[in-house]
Amino acid sequence: MKDMYILGIESSCDETSASIVKNGTEEISTVISSQIDIHKDYGGVVPEIASRQHVKNITIVIEECLEKANMGIEDIDAIAITYGPGLIGSLLVGLEAAKTLAFIYDKPLIPVHHIAGHIYANSLVKELKFPLLAIVVSGGHTEIIKMTEHYKFEKLGGTLDDAIGECYDKVARVINLEYPGGPKIDKLAKIGNKSYKLPIPLQDDSYNFSFSGLKSAVINLVHNENQRGEEIRTADLAASFQDVAISSIITKVKKAIINEGIKNVIVAGGVAANSGLRDAMEKLTEELNVDLSIPPMKYCTDNATMIAAAGYYAYLDGRIAGLDLNSKSQDTLV
Ligand code: KG4
Ligand code: ZN
């Protein structure tokens, strides 16, 4: 088969990104315009502002990506687009840009689920081995997905309420850390002691998670300490929270690896950048003798390279969309 160059476009949340990837594994060029600094002032992503920023950025980002690759759109074989899940207004901006290019230049349009993108970020690093377990942890997702072959996904479990990244960000806000608080809690956790007692979430036989109880426990603890005039030891609270949150994931992942005969574990999504999770996953996979892959930091958070990489395998699976493709704010990965 001849080399295939896919232009990926991602705009599901607060990053406008375009990348060109060769054969699903080699990044040729990438551009990311992040809106973090704009949303910081509001303590989280404001959907309306996010969509407007995407409108401002999308053409510039795509043009810059082609320029960096020294390629024209005629050199591109197909266009991969995140159709969902995410913020509907944000998704629509990327989708309309992708559809317009596909229509004008007569290129196949490949619909990519955002989580498939996070999983395939790993194919930029290492070949995926099956049966594979993908732990998808981000601001919007906490899911355990099993794959027995390329582009076949089976959800084993997921969060029943908050996503882990969302929980990190909300806990961070209570202790006055700037958005996105996840990385800041991670940093503090390294220097703190696990001296606060917090409830361990959902210890049952399923592969599901629950983080809202843990989040509420932290909020109540901070509130009570404040009322008593006690100062919060933020690093200790971060360490205690991280310990409980990460252990609850590790417990379920361990069970899934053993019960499902898993050979390869990959961790995907923004929270894959978490040092506590990385360390714990390394220890666990070593103990159970399975392969672990975690993408480098730049591919952990939202980017179009992962969308173009997933798009290649989606294309091989025959997933081509018509121009009636629509964005979906919610959608399960199948
Ligand atoms: O995948 P992502 O870029 O966007 C979504 O699709 O949600 O993930 C962003 C999330 C945020 O909640 C952020 O706080 C969290 O990932 N995050 C972290 C770390 N780095 C990013 N959470 C904990 N520890 C980190 N080191
Ligand atoms: Zn994401």
Side-chain angles (χ1 to χ4, degrees):
M1 198 172 124
K2 94 177 216 335
D3 287 336
M4 185 161 187
Y5 292 88
I6 295 184
L7 170 68
I9 299 174
E10 155 66 38
S11 70
S12 66
C13 191
D14 58 346
E15 259 102 26
T16 324
S17 179
S19 300
I20 297 166
V21 171
K22 181 179 164 186
N23 301 334
T25 53
E26 192 187 327
E27 182 184 271
I28 305 297
S29 79
T30 182
V31 176
I32 303 185
S33 167
S34 171
Q35 305 174 7
I36 282 186
D37 285 341
I38 296 165
H39 298 288
K40 235 181 210 167
D41 296 344
Y42 304 92
V45 178
V46 184
E48 180 61 28
I49 297 176
S51 337
R52 279 193 230 158
Q53 288 300 318
H54 285 306
V55 171
K56 269 194 198 163
N57 294 336
I58 192 86
T59 320
I60 303 168
V61 166
I62 295 171
E63 276 175 356
E64 208 178 306
C65 174
L66 287 162
E67 228 166 78
K68 259 173 106 174
N70 211 2
M71 290 170 88
I73 191 87
E74 61 285 353
D75 302 315
I76 299 295
D77 296 297
I79 296 162
I81 176 68
T82 310
Y83 71 91
L87 301 172
I88 195 72
S90 295
L91 286 163
L92 279 166
V93 178
L95 183 79
E96 288 309 317
K99 282 200 311 195
T100 307
L101 290 175
F103 174 64
I104 296 176
Y105 296 98
D106 196 22
K107 306 285 177 193
L109 181 67
I110 310 168
V112 175
H113 190 285
H114 184 76
I115 297 304
H118 275 304
I119 295 173
Y120 275 95
N122 278 282
S123 71
L124 275 304
V125 192
K126 251 191 208 177
E127 205 183 315
L128 307 188
K129 279 197 233 153
F130 305 102
L132 173 154
L133 196 70
I135 321 302
V136 183
V137 278
S138 75
H141 295 271
T142 313
E143 288 175 17
I144 300 190
I145 289 155
K146 183 182 172 186
M147 291 174 73
T148 45
E149 56 183 300
H150 272 299
Y151 239 78
K152 295 278 176 287
F153 310 99
E154 181 195 344
K155 182 173 163 181
L156 298 182
T159 181
L160 302 175
D161 39 61
D162 291 358
I164 181 156
E166 185 185 356
C167 184
Y168 261 91
D169 293 340
K170 285 182 179 161
V171 163
R173 192 143 69 163
V174 184
I175 50 175
N176 299 320
L177 301 173
E178 246 182 10
Y179 174 83
K184 290 161 193 108
I185 293 203
D186 187 15
K187 214 167 154 191
L188 276 176
K190 284 187 202 157
I191 53 165
N193 296 313
K194 303 177 275 184
S195 52
Y196 285 104
K197 199 160 168 42
L198 294 167
I200 301 171
L202 201 68
Q203 292 171 288
D204 64 357
D205 278 343
S206 74
Y207 294 123
N208 291 327
F209 306 99
S210 166
F211 292 105
S212 76
L214 176 60
K215 174 191 68 186
S216 303
V218 175
I219 294 172
N220 290 340
L221 189 148
V222 172
H223 184 73
N224 291 341
E225 295 287 89
N226 281 343
Q227 283 211 324
R228 286 196 287 155
E230 295 280 340
E231 201 147 310
I232 296 288
R233 302 180 312 276
T234 44
D236 290 353
L237 185 57
S240 311
F241 164 74
Q242 179 143 309
D243 180 52
V244 173
I246 301 302
S247 329
S248 90
I249 292 185
I250 294 296
T251 311
K252 300 280 168 119
V253 170
K254 180 171 185 177
K255 205 168 65 176
I257 294 176
I258 296 168
N259 293 351
E260 304 289 328
I262 297 300
K263 295 264 181 308
N264 185 192
V265 176
I266 68 175
V267 188
V271 184
N274 184 271
S275 63
L277 181 62
R278 284 177 175 247
D279 291 349
M281 285 299 305
E282 268 165 27
K283 225 172 112 198
L284 177 70
T285 48
E286 217 168 276
E287 176 196 323
L288 299 179
N289 199 21
V290 296
D291 256 27
L292 171 68
S293 42
I294 307 180
M297 297 290 187
K298 64 176 178 173
Y299 295 140
C300 280
T301 45
D302 291 350
N303 64 87
T305 300
M306 67 185 197
I307 301 302
Y312 176 75
Y313 294 96
Y315 180 84
L316 294 184
D317 194 49
R319 302 192 187 211
I320 309 291
L323 290 174
D324 57 348
L325 177 67
N326 210 345
S327 299
K328 285 190 180 167
S329 61
Q330 290 189 348
D331 193 35
T332 26
L333 174 60
V334 278

